[in-house]
Structure formats: C-alpha cells, structure tokens
Amino acid sequence: MKRIISILLENESGALSRVVGLFSQRGYNIDTLTVAPTDDDTLSRLTLTTQGDDHMAEQIVKQLHKLIDTIKVVDLTEGAHIERELMLVKLKASDNDIRAEVKSCAEIFRGTIVDVTPNTYTVQLAGDSEKLDAFIEAVREIGIMEVVRSGVSGIARGDKFLRV
Amino acid sequence: MELLSGGDILIRALKDAGVKDVWGYPGGAALHIYDALYRQDDVFHILVRHEQAAVHAADGFSRATGEVGTALVTSGPGATNAITGIATAYMDSIPMVVISGQVPLSKIGQDAFQETDMVGVSRPIVKHSFLVTRAEDIAETIAKAYYIAATGRPGPVVVDIPKDVTDPSYKVAYEWPTETKMRSYQPTDKGHRGQIKRAVKTLLGAKRPVIYTGGGIVIDNAAEHLIALARKLNFPVTNTLMGLGGYPGTDRQYLGMLGMHGTYEANTAMHHADVIFAVGARFDDRVTNDLEKFCPHATIIHIDVDPTTVSKNIEAHIPIVGTCTSVLTEMLSIAEQLTLEPDAEALADWWQQIDQWRADKGIYTESRYEPSSGTCIKPQDVIKMLYKITEGEAIITSDVGQHQMFAAQYYLFDKPRMWINSGGLGTMGFGLPAAMGCKRAFPDTDVACVTGEGSIQMCIQELSTCTQHNLPVKIINLNNAALGMVRQWQDMNYSSRYSESVYEDSLPDFVKLAEAYGHVGMKITHLDELEEKMRECFAMKDRTVFMDICVDRSEHVYPMQVPGGSMRDLWLNKTERA
Ligand SMILES: Cc1ncc(C[n+]2csc(CCOP(=O)(O)OP(=O)(O)O)c2C)c(N)n1
Ligand SMILES: [Mg+2]
C-alpha cells in the first residue's frame, strides 16, 4: 500500500542524509521525496512516499522519529489529506495539428503551457500523482521529450497541522 | 569571560562533561587537541596501539561503570580504524563519545591528505553525529553529544572537528551550557499507565510465565527492580547474552541464558510459556530462532525505552515504551495496590515442570559434556575454574567465539556490569581493550579477558598499552588452535571441511609474546596444573598475565538451537536432540 509521510526536520547539515540513509539501511524504498525549508528557516518540511504494509509503515514512522534531528513525523495516509505534485513535460510539437492537440490536452488537465519554441511545447501541471500519470498517458503518442516531476507534497485536511 | 582556543575549549568541555579518561591516538588533524591535552591535568589520556582498541576500551569503561566512555582519534585512517569499535558500541547501545580530528574546513571535499567523510562513514552506526564548524560551537556540541549518548536508548555519538576549528591562535569565550535542551530530542521515560496496569493484570493471571530480560536491565541499572518484581511474583527469569548479571546467576528462579546457545530449561520454558514478559530485550534472531515458530502460546508484554524495538521482530500484545526502572517501579507499586495474587497453584505446577527439565537435561547437570582428563582440558572446566578462583567476583570480558559462549554459560554472574562482551556485533578483538577499560575503572577488581587464540590476535598489540599504563588484566586464552566457532559450524553444516579455520602450526608462542611485552606468560597443557597456575595468575595483582591454556579442540558449544526450528529445538550434544 502506498504511504505518504510528512516530517518536520531541523534544517541542519547532514539531517537529510540521515533520513535518506535510514531508508536504504533498513531496506525501505523511497518512491518520492520532497524537501524545502518552511516559513521558519530553522525547519525543513519533507514529504516522502513509500510502499509498505501497516507493520512496515509503523516501523518507518518510529525509525524516522528516532533520528535526533526529527521533530515530528506523521503518516498522512491514516487521515484525510491533500497531495500535490508539480510536473513539467516537454513535448515535440512542430506541426499545427499536434500543437492544437497539446493545447487541448493541457486545457482538459488544467495545465498551462509555460514555454514555446518552433519545435516544442512545455506544459506545467499540478495535481495528485494519478492525474499526472493520466496526462502522461494522454500525450505519450504525441512524443514526450522530457518529464520532470517534483515528487509529492502533502498536507492534512482540516484543523490538523504540523508545527513546532 | 575567559578566552580560549578551540583545542583548549574542547578539553575544558570534556572536563565539564565529567570526563576523566580519554582513550586515543594522535595524528595531524588532532594535533592542536593533543597539544591542549598536554597543557592541562584534568583529563587523562591513555595512548592505545590501534584506534579500534581506543574505542573498545572506552566502551569497556562505559559498560563497567555506566558512564559515557570517550575516545579521541585523528582524521582519515584514525577515524576509519575507529569504525569497528563504534559499530560494536552501537549494536549494544553503549553510551560513548568519539571525537575525531578532521582536515581543515577549507580543505573538506578536496580529497585532502587523510580526509575521510567521518560523519558520512559513521552515519549508519551512530546514534548521532556532529561536524563542528566554529570554535564557538564546541562547548555546546560536546554538551549535546554527552547528553544524547547517555539518555534514551544510549549509543555512540561522533564529534568531527576540523583542524582549523581548534587553531591555537583563534580564541573565543568559553561557556559551559548550564542546561542541554533539544526540541527535536525528548526521550521517553515513563510508560503508559493504562498499559502498565494491563501488563500487571496479565502477569498476575499467568500460569506458565517467563521473564525474559536483556541488556536494557544492565544499561538502565534496573537489576534491583527486576529482582524485586521477580521475587514478588515467584516467576522464572532468563537473561540474554547481553543481560547476564541483570538477574543473579545463582538464584533459584534463574533459568540461565536463553537463545542459540541458551540452556535447555530456559529455551523450553520460553516455548511453553503462556506469558512472556520481555524487559529491555529486543527479540534478536540469536534468541528467537525461527520467528514463525516462536513461543506459540504466549501473550507478549514488551518493555523497552526505544519505540522502534517494540513490535519490531515480534508483535507485542502489550507494548510499553519507557525505561526499565520507571516501568518496573510502577509495576511494583500497582502490584502492591491490587488485591490480586499470582496463581500459586499454577506456578507450583510450572516450577515442578521446570525443575524436571533442569534435572533431565539442564546445563548444570553433570553429564552435559565429557569431563576433562589429563591433557584433554575441557574449555567449560577452565571457565568453572575461573569462577571458582575468582569466587564469581571478577569482571569478565570476552572476545567472540566458542570461548565467549562457554564463559556466558559457566561463569555465573550475580551482579550486572560484570559480564562485558560484544553481543550485537560479535566483534573479535573486543576482549582485551575492553578489559583495559574495565581495569582502569576498577583497579582493585580482578579483570579477566576470556579469549581465543584467534580473537586475541586481533588486538594483541594492546599488551603494550597494558605495560605503559599499568593495566594488570588477566588473559585467559582458551587455545583450541582453531577458529573454533567457525570449525563447529563446519562440523555441523559442511561435513567437517575446515576451510580456513586452522592455522597450520603458525600460532605464536604466547608465553614469549607476553614476556616480550613485559608481562607474565603461562602455558597450561595438563589438567593437573590448571588450578595452581590460575591461582598464581590471580595472586599477581599488579601484573598482566597471559594464561595460554590448551583446550580440547573438538569440543562444541551446546545446547545449540537447530536452525529454522523453534526455541526448544536444540542439539544437546553431538548426537542428542531435544
Ligand atoms: C572481526 C571478526 N571477524 C570474523 C568473525 C567471525 N567469527 C566468529 S567466531 C570466530 C572464531 C573465533 O576464534 P577464536 O577467537 O579462536 O575463538 P574460539 O571459537 O576458537 O573459542 C570467527 C572467525 C568475527 N566474529 N569477528
Ligand atoms: Mg580458537
């Protein structure tokens, strides 16, 4: 089962490598990982997604919590939450028919075209991972040159929040 | 405020952290620190002969005293030599601080001379690590390092200090923090009261209980609490290899060690138990055997200070996260309040069953191994002799192999911190330097290192440290002229094909070797000389003595769990199975 885990981490050198190291050391996979400082620049917020049953998820959360730099850890999978991922896709688009098709695809998926050359269109898209997957399938025939995905960022719905 | 250089600040901070001894080895990146050491008398430095030994000695000191051990090494090879020692301490949750010199900040990342990314290399085997980038940060970092090492589930902490940070020409104000607080690190102390109550009720309802305790009891100084509870309940107790001494080895309620080389009575009782009360133990694979077949009838109560340990290998029915002392104390007080009493009738039956197991195939019945005779000295009998002569009062360190298991089985530890071994990592070479650490901590107590001719050669250079720093430890070398434990597995699983487990007459003359270092050497080949020589050895209080004892080569360690079986599936000797 897919898991989405949020971590609040001291923004210190070596902290991120301890998180990443923990996963390889304990034999867990990381599917996606996003990290950036928060409004408080002494803190980093990480979101990572992984696969695992309940036992493994519990171990991962506990192990992450055990790291000295970790302030808070939440398994977002357990409650209602929002996931968002950003994607940039560069597509081959030299003839007009194709350009029209890319445009309409982008519109349907609520994407925006953020760069244009005579031969390419670059589409920006945000949403949950399934939506981004669906867009890739929709434009695969057209000719994908490059795909960049940010990895998932997540936040709990409602009143719950992760803060020191 | 006083202005000090980084090197002086470091030493002053060590003093303020309560450090008296540092075990170490100098080198380029640590020279400012060594110069600071030279110019003061508060912190004493003990020069070892290999950085691995510095860490093991600090580790042995820590295990014997409960205090945080300290090692100091230089960058690059000094740091990498320390790695085995750090991993050893990490696996056994030993509080320790390892300070490593590092190349100057400006050279980091340039493949400078003797540059190793120590924080990176040690990352998976430390509780935490620091790279100090400013002299101003040294005191606070040292305070944090000792705090982290000693609290919660203890462990080694690495503090890597680039050379320019200890530069004597750059001076800053020294201030020792009055309090160490970290928002990201708040170790759990007290367990959940509701859970503790449930646990007490479950214990009081048990008909075939076993108390299974590990190193946590020793580390947390909880032996007295354990004894009080076990006596009140009249439950049988078994200890892991790391937990020996946590419960008195000579007590009637004690079943001996459990696990791979545990006793028949402990392993069989575990298998049939209806309630297993695990305290400060971690259901290690050397204890449980096949997890699928582990204790099929048992309700499991598990206390540990580390949440990741609880329900990691075996799902606990009643998990409790807290220190052994606080949870056991609370359990005792709850047990006193409740009007319930343990089920005396069921317990009487259970004890009768256990006594039957003990009498039938117990480890301390006469027939467990062929007796020694003449030149065929059984290693078990050497340990029994050691126990007799030291009256069970010596601190025993050990290396890794058959000798370690014989020592664990046949030396009965009545108190914690008397049995010092590398249980988790199983590090050959640990015994002698660990013994030095123990001797330094307790100069008036006999300290014996039970070792094998294989293991002792992994840190034998430390005989020289014993000379320089007057550390009169006794080395009890169970010389079976083979990597005995390897050989045993080769006998059992590889049709006695002794691939690289014998030395073909290349062993040194250990007596001469000991003498070359300025010590006393003894070689024992006949049973008749054993007692007298060993008495002589321990009578020489101020000498390091190396007893090279030729023991039966063909002896195996039994009981031994049958791989893939349950706790109670055991080989009892070469032909008999339980
Ligand atoms: C550093 C290290 N290398 C290898 C091993 C694997 N090993 C475990 S026991 C053993 C044999 C030890 O021989 P010795 O010290 O003579 O003890 P004996 O078993 O003969 O009593 C070996 C090689 C180990 N535990 N540690
Ligand atoms: Mg040997």
Side-chain angles (χ1 to χ4, degrees), chain B residues 124-139:
Chain B
I125 52 163
V126 294
K127 182 166 175 186
H128 197 57
S129 50
F130 296 94
L131 173 69
V132 186
T133 54
R134 305 181 322 149
E136 290 83 345
D137 296 340
I138 293 176

Side-chain angles (χ1 to χ4, degrees), chain B residues 524-550:
Chain B
I524 283 97
T525 55
H526 200 284
L527 184 63
D528 291 347
E529 3 163 51
L530 182 62
E531 177 157 7
E532 194 191 323
K533 285 281 170 74
M534 201 181 271
R535 283 197 189 283
E536 233 176 80
C537 160
F538 282 92
M540 289 184 264
K541 294 284 173 210
D542 53 356
R543 298 301 300 273
T544 298
V545 184
F546 194 117
M547 289 193 81
D548 184 26
I549 306 170
C550 299

